Amino acid sequence: MYLADEAWPDLESYFESESLALVPLGSTEQHGPHLPESTDHVIAESLAREAAARSGYLCTPTVNVGISRHHRQFPGTMWVSPDTFRAYVRDLTENLTYHGIDRVVYVNAHGGNVDALREVAKDLHADETCYALEWMWDESIPELVDDLFEHNGPHGGPKETAMLQHLTDLVHDDRLADARDGGVRDIWSAEGTNRHGAATFFDARDNSDNGVFGDQTDATAEKGERLFEAATDQLVRLCDWLAAREPEELLPEPRV
């Protein structure tokens, strides 16, 4: 069920019987020479809407711009500050609680959003506003990701490339070799990324000339379909688990 497509009487019926919502969040940022800047929010919205269609839970419109300042050197990247992002997500979530939602899954597809979403979720839980969880699609299926790709890469790599090949016709397949050769296959072994236990980089441009990591030539639409199906299954299972919890199970533990 997609909130923006429904009339208010139908939404009223949903809120009378269910109290869970999926909120997709991504980014609008560079993903190398081969992927669109919509990559993260396309993945997040596609997973959230598919999980909602399969389960009957509510999916909200997507937050398309996130915390992406570390990609700012590449043309077109958009970003907001962490403070702005946290405040916006909190307000959006409290909007849902006004209608009766008390449990939320942040369907996230951008690593830069993770810390802020978890912080918002902690605050919402601490003041008993609602129970929210940050869910990152690739972290739900790590074994499959590792099995499918030898050089995965945390950004613009084959897992995101394969997902976009499956979901859209926006991938520049003729640029996959250029993306691999102009980027870095393994960021964690790249020279200058770590000194004596400290990460010594701040921006994607510090480590990769074209902003991406991994071997993009290893991606196929068939692999993307396997990723999408497996991640959707995990998301539906998470929603079912959360919906089945009694309200008192979702409250903070009492003070010692």
Side-chain angles (χ1 to χ4, degrees):
M1 186 178 194
Y2 183 59
L3 186 151
D5 287 344
E6 302 295 330
W8 71 258
D10 306 299
L11 291 167
E12 182 180 41
S13 297
Y14 179 85
F15 295 131
E16 288 174 350
S17 60
E18 297 286 352
S19 60
L20 185 146
L22 297 93
V23 179
L25 306 99
S27 69
T28 300
E29 65 180 26
Q30 72 85 18
H31 275 76
H34 62 302
L35 290 178
E37 303 217 350
S38 63
T39 291
D40 287 343
H41 70 250
V42 164
I43 293 174
E45 180 169 334
S46 298
L47 287 166
R49 294 189 68 162
E50 182 63 21
R54 295 183 187 185
S55 65
Y57 297 119
L58 182 69
C59 175
T60 74
T62 304
V63 178
N64 289 338
V65 176
I67 301 172
S68 300
R69 188 178 65 177
H70 50 295
H71 294 291
R72 68 191 182 280
Q73 291 97 336
F74 295 90
T77 290
M78 302 182 70
W79 70 91
V80 295
S81 71
D83 288 345
T84 298
F85 182 80
R86 286 192 298 267
Y88 183 87
V89 172
R90 168 123 193 175
D91 282 356
L92 187 154
T93 306
E94 290 179 339
N95 168 187
L96 292 170
T97 66
Y98 177 82
H99 295 297
I101 295 298
D102 69 0
R103 53 205 79 190
V104 173
V105 177
Y106 297 131
V107 182
N108 181 36
H110 173 48
N113 294 340
V114 170
D115 289 345
L117 289 173
R118 290 179 179 173
E119 185 174 345
V120 170
K122 286 181 181 179
D123 289 344
L124 292 167
H125 181 249
D127 60 24
E128 301 184 17
T129 300
C130 74
Y131 189 93
L133 293 172
E134 185 272 337
W135 180 85
M136 187 79 174
W137 72 270
D138 56 317
E139 293 180 0
S140 75
I141 49 171
E143 295 85 2
L144 179 58
V145 171
D146 288 342
D147 287 344
L148 290 179
F149 309 112
E150 182 178 358
H151 298 285
N152 178 37
H155 182 74
K159 67 185 177 190
E160 290 182 320
T161 303
M163 284 283 270
L164 264 290
Q165 287 172 325
H166 169 57
L167 295 170
T168 75
D169 59 359
L170 298 175
V171 179
H172 297 276
D173 290 319
D174 59 329
R175 301 177 185 174
L176 297 185
D178 290 341
R180 175 199 62 199
D181 297 341
V184 175
R185 283 195 178 189
D186 183 4
I187 184 177
W188 309 118
S189 63
E191 183 177 355
T193 62
N194 187 292
R195 290 288 185 271
H196 312 294
T200 54
F201 63 95
F202 294 96
D203 301 314
R205 191 72 175 81
D206 293 341
N207 298 311
S208 174
D209 288 339
N210 67 6
V212 294
F213 309 90
D215 184 354
Q216 293 77 11
T217 64
D218 202 17
T220 66
E222 292 73 22
K223 290 181 179 179
E225 183 177 14
R226 290 182 63 187
L227 294 171
F228 184 79
E229 290 298 320
T232 300
D233 179 68
Q234 289 296 309
L235 181 53
V236 170
R237 288 170 180 263
L238 174 62
C239 290
D240 285 341
W241 173 85
L242 185 55
R245 305 277 67 77
E246 295 295 332
E248 57 268 20
E249 295 181 68
L250 305 179
L251 295 173
E253 291 295 328
R255 183 174 182 272
V256 175

